[in-house]
Amino acid sequence: LPTSGIIKYFKWYFAGRLLALVTDPPPAHVEPVAFYAYMSKPEPAPSYHHTLIFDVAKTNLGNGYSKHSGTFVAPSAGVYVFTWTINSGVHGSHAINLMVNSAVAGGTLTDTQDTNDYDSDSNTAVLVLNQGDNVNLRTTQPSDRTVINADNHAFTSFCGWKL
């Protein structure tokens, strides 16, 4: 092919490719998935493997979070971000794990040591979930000497969203 023929071929080829991109339908709308919940009342001396229940769900897009069980069920597969804050009472110590289908996926330790003070600790996890995976927070040790605090000054909370 002469040079002018090659140039015409490339112009036709690239024009055709661009035309195909323009005529493709736009991607389907994806509904957002996000929740934010907190405890409305203290949890006194939670036992070993006690699932924390965040009974006030302020946001629950996609309806994946249950305020009755404290569990989030992934409505679709994808990458999710979870964050939680645990507030312990005076002389408090709580070990909390983020659980995915009964497997540990993250954790936090709150500890006020031996002071007459309160403690607030947070953590974040980015996880790949399958549709139907269960995610919750539970204690990893019994705590017979303190409560997990819940008040309007420092919320004990759990939230998550799909990226």
Side-chain angles (χ1 to χ4, degrees), residues 16-162:
R17 298 296 282 183
L18 291 175
L19 184 59
L21 289 174
V22 172
T23 59
D24 285 345
H29 179 70
V30 177
E31 291 296 320
V33 176
F35 75 95
Y36 166 67
Y38 62 87
M39 289 182 176
S40 66
K41 56 188 176 292
E43 182 66 54
S47 61
Y48 184 67
H49 285 178
H50 174 78
T51 298
L52 300 181
I53 296 177
F54 303 84
D55 61 322
V56 179
K58 295 301 278 185
T59 303
N60 196 8
L61 300 175
N63 295 315
Y65 180 74
S66 169
K67 67 180 187 174
H68 304 290
S69 68
T71 299
F72 171 78
V73 179
S76 58
V79 178
Y80 288 80
V81 178
F82 295 94
T83 184
W84 61 98
T85 299
I86 308 296
N87 294 293
S88 60
V90 175
H91 302 291
S93 175
H94 298 284
I96 308 294
N97 278 144
L98 178 71
M99 307 299 294
V100 176
N101 299 329
S102 300
V104 175
T108 301
L109 173 65
T110 67
D111 191 355
T112 58
Q113 298 176 8
D114 291 324
T115 64
N116 288 323
D117 206 355
Y118 297 88
D119 187 40
S120 177
D121 291 284
S122 299
N123 205 342
T124 303
V126 179
L127 303 170
V128 176
L129 299 180
N130 295 311
Q131 183 177 3
D133 281 350
N134 293 294
V135 182
N136 59 32
L137 292 168
R138 75 174 189 194
T139 59
T140 62
Q141 65 186 21
S143 180
D144 59 355
R145 58 186 179 136
T146 188
V147 302
I148 293 178
N149 262 0
D151 63 33
N152 61 357
H153 299 291
F155 285 32
T156 292
S157 61
F158 182 34
C159 66
W161 60 94
K162 184 177 181 182

